[in-house]
Amino acid sequence: MLQVEDLRVSFRTEEGEVKAVDGVSFSVEPGEILAVVGESGSGKSVTAMTLMGLTRSPNATFGGTAHFGGTELIGASEEQLRRIRGPEIAMIFQNPMTALNPVQRIGDQIVEQIRAHERVSRAAATERAVQLLARVGIPRPRELVRSYAHELSGGMRQRVMIGLALSCSPRLIIADEPTTALDVTIQAQILAELESLRADSDVSIILITHDLGVVSQVADRVLVMYGGRVVEQSDVDDLLDDPQHPYTWALLASVPRVDGEKPRRLASIAGSPPSLLRPPPGCHFSPRCPHRYDDCSNVPPLAAKLVAAPRHFDRCWLTAEDKLRLRSVDFERIGAK
Amino acid sequence: MFAISVFTFFIFQVIPNGDPALRLAGQSATPQTIAAIIKTWGFDKPVYVQYLDTMEKIFTGTVVSYSQQVNVLSQIQRGLPATISLALGAGVIWLFWGIVLGASSAVRAGRFTDRLLGVVALVGVSTPTFVVGAVSLYFFAYRVHIFPLSGYVPFFQDPWEWFMHLVLPWFSLSVVYIGFYSRVLRSNMLDALHEDFVRTARAKGLTQRRIWLNHVLRTSLIPVISLWGLDFAAVIGGGAILVEVVFNLDGVGEYAAESIMTLDIPPILVIVMYGAFLVVLVAALVDILYVVLDPRVRLNG
């Protein structure tokens, strides 16, 4: 349904060109939840927003392709994109506190989207807004449709955002860290909400997150991004059982486990994310990688399929044997697995 | 209010050559007449007693000016129609054009239109009001007789003449405000453009026009409206002294100017207090209006 090939996004800044997304390829099937994980600055949000044309600016240049249905998103005209935003692809943003207009009633914000795409009366659109609010679990929807964002809690606001995203029955929903700004208890509710969407319809979801716990809960496939590139991509179970890339190991090791036999020290990743102004010519993770060869920082590794799992890719120069050995050493050291 | 009245009163007590008895008495006054005046006007009493006396007269409406010894309050009342006419017309003009030019500038940010409007606004803000007034008088009233030279005609006497007499004053007074308001609105709008909810609006597939009008402009207008309320009150309070004098409108501002020239303390005091009162009143009205404009206030306030 969505096919992204070699997507490149770079921004001209005063200090030079920043390659925020550097050759990203992936695809999303109908009804699939794809999780995109990575640290801040890994290019995951830029990738997602670029699909909707939200990163367009005079300072941005784009490369590669993104086929969605019959449309090529990267070169689409503003008007083409406008028609796609809402009825085809909808977006849920990270911070529900600021993503809703503070001076417009939440019902009106939903009505506004419906009426931007369909010829329906205000009353009919309002009625649909009420239904949507009810569907995403807003109590007393007929009353709260007239409320303002500040009158609702964070979790309620995020539900409104989900209702807004659903209002024109999109085929793809991009959720950019939808739970990051919320309390842990609310996070679970919102995730359950997203999962039930998928169960009700065959909507696909791209879930951007830095939380591997979230990934293991809801995702079908996972994309691990680092420094604007995809370093590993796989079905979720496979990734958790058999992670291939040293960066993925490090990510997994930094997640607290409640089912571990003995408490262990959480691992942190030494160093800081690469500057995308002057990234190393080779693997972007190489400066922080404990297992790098000299050549790692000079020659970028290619995406390699795993023999045992053909839907599992990673970009690393280590051989399969080395990975197996080094991974167990890594996990041993921090006392996981 | 109290602080302002005290401050104004004492400022004029310490101004040199300010002895009101001397000026009341005239140039060829004998020491006896001066002494008599001091006695009747109470200038020999302590300063705070003089202040209290004046305040009492103000609030009982019996305060009179030094120079012509006419009732100050009725003088102000006489000037009010002209001043209110000036403020209403100019207020509408500068708010309208401030919004139009500011919004056009923001939509075209960084491009030629924006830069041109930026220069125009800068010129507008930095040209003194009396220069605009004098130049427009010269061209549109003196060289080409489109508009009358000066004066004020009451609305109910002749609406057309009322309008014609006020066009140039309205325009002259508005220039500075248009320049200022358009810049404020432009920067508000460009800030709003980076707000998350504007990104949401874009992600909803709205047209550019709707994004700008409904989301960017609407939220940016709120502070501009409150600014407008205060400036409007200041003009009604006699703040448009220069325009009123240049066009001889005979309003509250011109009365203030005359009184300052002759160091006539009672009218100055009353006008300052009345202006301050208006500003405070309008500030309160603006706060109430905010509740309508910005629903967030309802919760906090």
Side-chain angles (χ1 to χ4, degrees):
Chain A
M1 185 184 66
L2 173 70
Q3 234 120 30
V4 178
E5 286 291 336
D6 197 29
L7 182 68
R8 286 163 196 280
V9 184
S10 54
F11 298 103
R12 246 193 353 258
T13 67
E14 280 173 18
E15 291 113 280
E17 195 182 27
V18 174
K19 289 183 177 168
V21 178
D22 190 9
V24 165
S25 305
F26 63 93
S27 65
V28 182
E29 302 306 323
E32 188 175 66
I33 297 185
L34 171 76
V36 182
V37 251
E39 290 165 74
S40 343
S42 60
K44 51 197 197 312
S45 287
V46 175
T47 303
M49 295 215 282
T50 300
L51 295 178
M52 287 190 87
L54 294 178
T55 47
R56 290 183 174 192
S57 89
N59 297 323
T61 48
F62 302 96
T65 58
H67 283 291
F68 177 79
T71 321
E72 172 51 47
L73 297 173
I74 300 307
S77 71
E78 262 310 303
E79 181 56 22
Q80 267 179 312
L81 276 177
R82 189 189 74 72
R83 287 167 194 280
I84 285 171
R85 295 170 186 155
E88 300 286 339
I89 309 178
M91 194 146 182
I92 299 166
F93 293 101
Q94 173 172 3
N95 195 340
M97 305 294 166
T98 53
L100 291 167
N101 188 326
V103 299
Q104 197 181 18
R105 295 176 197 281
I106 58 166
D108 291 344
Q109 300 190 42
I110 299 177
V111 167
E112 190 181 32
Q113 166 160 330
I114 295 174
R115 303 218 329 150
H117 299 287
E118 296 169 39
R119 295 183 146 271
V120 290
S121 70
R122 172 159 283 278
T126 308
E127 185 52 37
R128 247 169 77 185
V130 173
Q131 304 300 331
L132 284 161
L133 292 182
R135 176 170 168 194
V136 294
I138 303 264
R140 295 173 290 128
R142 209 161 286 282
E143 201 177 311
L144 290 183
V145 77
R146 294 181 50 76
S147 60
Y148 290 95
H150 66 85
E151 296 167 336
L152 304 175
S153 67
M156 282 296 155
R157 285 185 225 187
Q158 197 58 296
R159 285 170 192 273
V160 172
M161 281 302 291
I162 296 175
L164 180 67
L166 287 177
S167 62
C168 293
S169 316
R171 290 194 284 162
L172 172 66
I173 293 178
I174 300 172
D176 189 356
E177 309 219 17
T179 58
T180 307
L182 302 175
D183 291 346
V184 185
T185 45
I186 311 296
Q187 284 184 12
Q189 293 174 15
I190 295 292
L191 286 179
E193 202 64 62
L194 287 176
E195 268 197 302
S196 83
L197 286 186
R198 195 252 311 256
D200 293 350
S201 56
D202 66 344
V203 64
S204 312
I205 298 173
I206 296 179
L207 179 65
I208 297 166
T209 178
H210 57 246
D211 186 343
L212 278 170
V214 169
V215 173
S216 65
Q217 252 180 69
V218 297
D220 300 312
R221 273 181 76 72
V222 189
L223 210 67
V224 182
M225 285 190 71
Y226 188 84
R229 291 178 183 159
V230 177
V231 293
E232 186 162 1
Q233 179 173 175
S234 141
D235 290 340
V236 66
D237 298 335
D238 208 32
L239 185 98
L240 297 175
D241 288 347
D242 189 19
Q244 295 296 305
H245 198 281
Y247 176 63
T248 314
W249 308 342
L251 267 189
L252 287 169
S254 65
V255 178
R257 292 182 70 103
V258 284
D259 58 351
E261 280 169 16
K262 54 180 179 182
R264 61 174 169 87
R265 202 161 53 85
L266 282 179
S268 59
I269 306 174
S272 51
S275 153
L276 295 177
L277 269 172
R278 272 168 291 280
C283 170
H284 285 175
F285 187 56
S286 57
R288 298 166 81 186
C289 184
H291 311 300
R292 65 173 173 272
Y293 300 114
D294 289 346
D295 273 352
C296 282
S297 23
N298 297 322
V299 191
L302 301 172
K305 269 180 211 176
L306 216 63
V307 185
R311 278 162 60 80
H312 193 159
F313 301 80
D314 75 305
R315 289 176 71 155
C316 181
W317 283 123
L318 295 175
T319 62
E321 298 83 60
D322 280 348
K323 283 177 184 165
L324 223 55
R325 184 173 52 83
L326 292 169
R327 186 176 68 198
S328 56
V329 171
D330 266 15
F331 284 157
E332 198 97 333
R333 189 164 48 82
I334 58 161
K337 291 220 160 171
Chain B
M1 289 288 290
F2 173 70
I4 286 170
S5 67
V6 171
F7 181 75
T8 316
F9 190 80
F10 287 100
I11 271 281
F12 282 95
Q13 293 293 327
V14 297
I15 278 184
N17 292 326
D19 190 345
L22 283 179
R23 267 173 297 111
L24 273 169
Q27 292 206 330
S28 54
T30 61
Q32 284 86 344
T33 30
I34 293 178
I37 287 170
I38 289 179
K39 196 86 192 148
T40 44
W41 287 73
F43 293 136
D44 54 345
K45 293 181 189 163
V47 175
Y48 70 92
V49 178
Q50 286 190 44
Y51 171 80
L52 290 177
D53 284 350
T54 315
M55 282 298 126
E56 192 195 333
K57 283 186 199 149
I58 287 176
F59 285 107
T60 50
T62 55
V63 65
V64 293
S65 64
Y66 293 160
S67 54
Q68 274 142 27
Q69 287 157 41
V70 287
N71 187 296
V72 172
L73 294 182
S74 63
Q75 280 296 99
I76 289 180
Q77 245 167 35
R78 208 170 56 83
L80 262 182
T83 299
I84 291 176
S85 302
L86 173 70
L88 275 179
V92 169
I93 291 174
W94 90 61
L95 183 64
F96 177 78
W97 285 105
I99 292 174
V100 168
L101 297 185
S104 326
S105 209
V107 172
R108 305 240 144 229
R111 285 189 262 174
F112 178 73
T113 320
D114 177 38
R115 289 189 193 160
L116 183 74
L117 287 173
V119 172
V120 170
L122 189 67
V123 172
V125 170
S126 44
T127 313
T129 307
F130 62 87
V131 172
V132 180
V135 169
S136 63
L137 259 183
Y138 177 74
F139 281 107
F140 299 110
Y142 180 70
R143 289 290 288 272
V144 187
H145 302 284
I146 310 175
F147 299 110
L149 268 168
S150 71
Y152 170 76
V153 175
F155 178 78
F156 292 107
Q157 188 180 316
D158 186 343
W160 175 247
E161 281 302 310
W162 171 83
F163 177 77
M164 290 304 274
H165 276 83
L166 281 167
V167 169
L168 290 182
W170 284 342
F171 169 75
S172 312
L173 181 58
S174 298
V175 167
V176 172
Y177 290 114
I178 291 175
F180 181 54
Y181 278 44
S182 66
R183 288 290 99 179
V184 169
L185 182 64
R186 174 186 181 273
S187 84
N188 279 353
M189 287 178 74
L190 293 184
D191 286 348
L193 211 52
H194 297 114
E195 295 278 357
D196 284 354
F197 64 81
V198 172
R199 188 179 56 184
T200 306
R202 207 169 283 140
K204 279 158 71 174
L206 306 183
T207 56
Q208 281 297 318
R209 191 189 157 77
R210 223 184 145 82
I211 294 171
W212 279 103
L213 283 180
N214 243 19
H215 294 272
V216 179
L217 181 60
R218 183 155 172 222
T219 45
S220 309
L221 270 183
I222 296 170
V224 173
I225 299 285
S226 67
L227 200 62
W228 183 84
L230 296 179
D231 284 338
F232 181 76
V235 173
I236 292 194
I241 291 180
L242 292 172
V243 170
E244 291 197 15
V245 170
V246 169
F247 291 96
N248 192 22
L249 287 181
D250 215 2
V252 179
E254 194 170 352
Y255 186 42
E258 285 164 7
S259 309
I260 293 169
M261 234 101 79
T262 55
L263 283 182
D264 201 343
I265 298 168
I268 298 173
L269 197 56
V270 175
I271 292 171
V272 167
M273 286 175 66
Y274 149 79
F277 172 71
L278 266 181
V279 171
V280 171
L281 181 75
V282 171
L285 287 178
V286 165
D287 280 349
I288 295 169
L289 186 68
Y290 247 75
V291 176
V292 182
L293 290 175
D294 191 343
R296 280 169 296 186
V297 177
R298 274 173 237 176
L299 188 78
N300 308 332

